[in-house]
Amino acid sequence: MTDKEPIVKHVYTADPSAHVFNGKLYVYPSHDRETDIQFNDNGDQYDMADYHVFSMEEVGGPVTDHGVVLKQEEVPWVSKQLWAPDAASKNGKYYLYFPARDKEGIFRVGVAVGEKPEGPFKPEAEPIKGSFSIDPASYVDEDGQAYLYFGGIWGGQLQCWTSGEFNQDAYKQMEAQEGPALSAKVAKLTDDMTAFSSEVQDVIIVDEAGKQLDSSDHDRRFFEAAWVHKYNGKYYFSYSTGDTHYLCYAIGDSPLGPFTYGGRILEPVIGWTTHHSIAEFKGKWYLFYHDASLSKGVNHLRCVKIREIVYDAEGKIKLADPQPK
Ligand code: FUB
């Protein structure tokens, strides 16, 4: 029933994306840093400038920091804010997906390619064509088809793209207040993992009656932090509800959805943001998440933690050890 310890304390880490590569557990987080930037709703204070990769042989065992694997200065199209990344492996190579603001201040998703899970990663010169917003999460299905999920509202600019073009004015309106909730996005990836091979489409989440969740349903609708994993033949789409601070999930029969709302994985943590990934390692399933406990509650100075999760007979996700209140 005790709270968990951060996986590392020598740097601030957040937005953990976990993958098992070559029998080892790798975590690809954001690298939070202290700045004197004023806090605002755009999230300007989340001013990250590089990525580290961490690995471990056992959950709870020693964690190796593989150091800086990609820096802002190395990416020609980036102006600032290297936010939540993810990684994937295909055809013997490793891919680091990352969002950042381009030179016009618009969030795009880039990809960098490496020979090893721990990098280093060489960035492509341009962001992925057709990409926008934040929080990329990759999923490579058993048939080899890879998908990239992305999107986040408020500072993540998803609300600026409802017309298909970037609309700066929508920035101030934040989120649509009526009608169906804004959806995360998904596109198929090409075999070389560096471009979209399909149109970008909505990730639809419906309730038990099959009705798309409404934008006023702040406790259940998507906000940011998309993640997809497969369990028992079903696809689980999990995400943060943002301003209500929950991690929730929905279940579907296809990686493209639709997904039926399934429940809540994690209650609010210390700090404003919540963001996670889910992975199986050595026969157990884990939730990788962050809170701001290491900085004693500074929202943009976070630390990654790990909790075991279990599934009930209906495939519902539960924490193995209940979250302390
Ligand atoms: O780390 C910056 C942003 O905070 C991420 O992109 C969001 O998901 C939230 O965790």
Side-chain angles (χ1 to χ4, degrees):
M1 300 280 275
T2 54
D3 200 4
K4 300 294 174 190
E5 281 292 300
I7 62 166
V8 292
K9 294 185 177 173
H10 63 289
V11 283
Y12 289 113
T13 55
D15 309 322
S17 291
H19 292 276
V20 177
F21 294 132
N22 310 324
K24 221 193 253 193
L25 182 64
Y26 288 85
V27 179
Y28 301 82
S30 299
H31 175 198
D32 286 353
R33 61 172 186 161
E34 296 190 58
T35 71
D36 49 15
I37 294 168
Q38 286 292 309
F39 292 15
N40 58 34
D41 280 346
N42 290 343
D44 287 348
Q45 65 275 23
Y46 295 85
D47 189 43
M48 298 84 104
D50 62 28
Y51 295 111
H52 287 229
V53 175
F54 301 89
S55 70
M56 61 201 89
E57 304 275 354
E58 307 288 339
V59 170
V63 175
T64 302
D65 178 356
H66 296 278
V68 175
V69 298
L70 184 70
K71 293 191 267 203
Q72 183 174 297
E73 308 87 272
E74 294 167 345
V75 192
W77 61 269
V78 164
S79 63
K80 61 177 184 174
Q81 290 180 301
L82 294 184
W83 282 12
D86 188 23
S89 174
K90 195 171 171 183
N91 305 327
K93 289 194 188 295
Y94 297 87
Y95 303 89
L96 185 72
Y97 297 99
F98 58 95
R101 284 185 194 259
D102 68 12
K103 305 284 185 198
E104 287 163 353
I106 300 174
F107 271 109
R108 306 278 181 185
V109 176
V111 58
V113 185
E115 300 297 327
K116 293 186 285 187
E118 64 269 32
F121 296 94
K122 187 171 182 315
E124 297 285 299
E126 300 286 340
I128 296 176
K129 194 163 175 232
S131 71
F132 54 90
S133 196
I134 59 166
D135 290 359
S138 58
Y139 174 73
V140 184
D141 208 353
E142 282 152 18
D143 63 2
Q145 178 62 58
Y147 301 83
L148 197 72
Y149 302 81
F150 57 96
I153 56 182
W154 290 18
Q157 301 179 339
L158 188 60
Q159 70 281 1
C160 300
W161 289 94
T162 51
S163 70
E165 301 285 320
F166 184 73
N167 173 10
Q168 178 71 40
D169 292 337
Y171 209 80
K172 299 181 204 101
Q173 297 158 14
M174 297 303 194
E175 187 191 359
Q177 293 301 306
E178 293 176 354
L182 287 175
S183 298
K185 307 293 173 191
V186 59
K188 289 183 180 175
L189 287 164
T190 51
D191 194 47
D192 75 356
M193 301 287 275
T194 62
F196 292 160
S197 64
S198 73
E199 294 293 313
V200 171
Q201 68 177 72
D202 286 345
V203 177
I204 303 293
I205 305 172
V206 299
D207 64 16
E208 303 73 9
K211 183 176 176 291
Q212 189 173 349
L213 296 188
D214 201 77
S215 58
S216 60
D217 192 349
H218 292 252
D219 285 357
R220 299 195 297 176
R221 60 94 175 88
F222 170 83
F223 187 101
E224 61 186 2
W227 184 259
V228 167
H229 75 280
K230 198 174 190 176
Y231 171 76
N232 219 4
K234 298 279 186 193
Y235 298 88
Y236 285 67
F237 177 77
S238 48
Y239 55 96
S240 161
T241 61
D243 55 355
T244 46
H245 317 286
Y246 301 122
L247 289 179
C248 293
Y249 69 98
I251 303 175
D253 292 317
S254 156
L256 297 172
F259 297 92
T260 303
Y261 182 81
R264 220 180 258 174
I265 308 169
L266 198 68
E267 299 294 314
V269 294
I270 297 168
W272 200 92
T273 67
T274 188
H275 188 129
H276 71 299
S277 61
I278 292 170
E280 185 181 20
F281 185 49
K282 300 193 174 175
K284 290 185 171 183
W285 284 88
Y286 296 97
L287 175 74
F288 301 79
Y289 66 105
H290 70 226
D291 66 23
S293 59
L294 187 60
S295 65
K296 301 198 167 39
V298 182
N299 285 336
H300 68 290
L301 298 177
R302 300 161 290 180
C303 57
V304 168
K305 298 181 171 183
I306 307 175
R307 287 182 168 273
E308 190 183 343
I309 55 167
V310 292
Y311 300 85
D312 72 12
E314 291 173 352
K316 299 266 183 195
I317 296 177
K318 310 270 173 238
L319 294 175
D321 184 15
Q323 190 177 4
K325 297 280 179 213

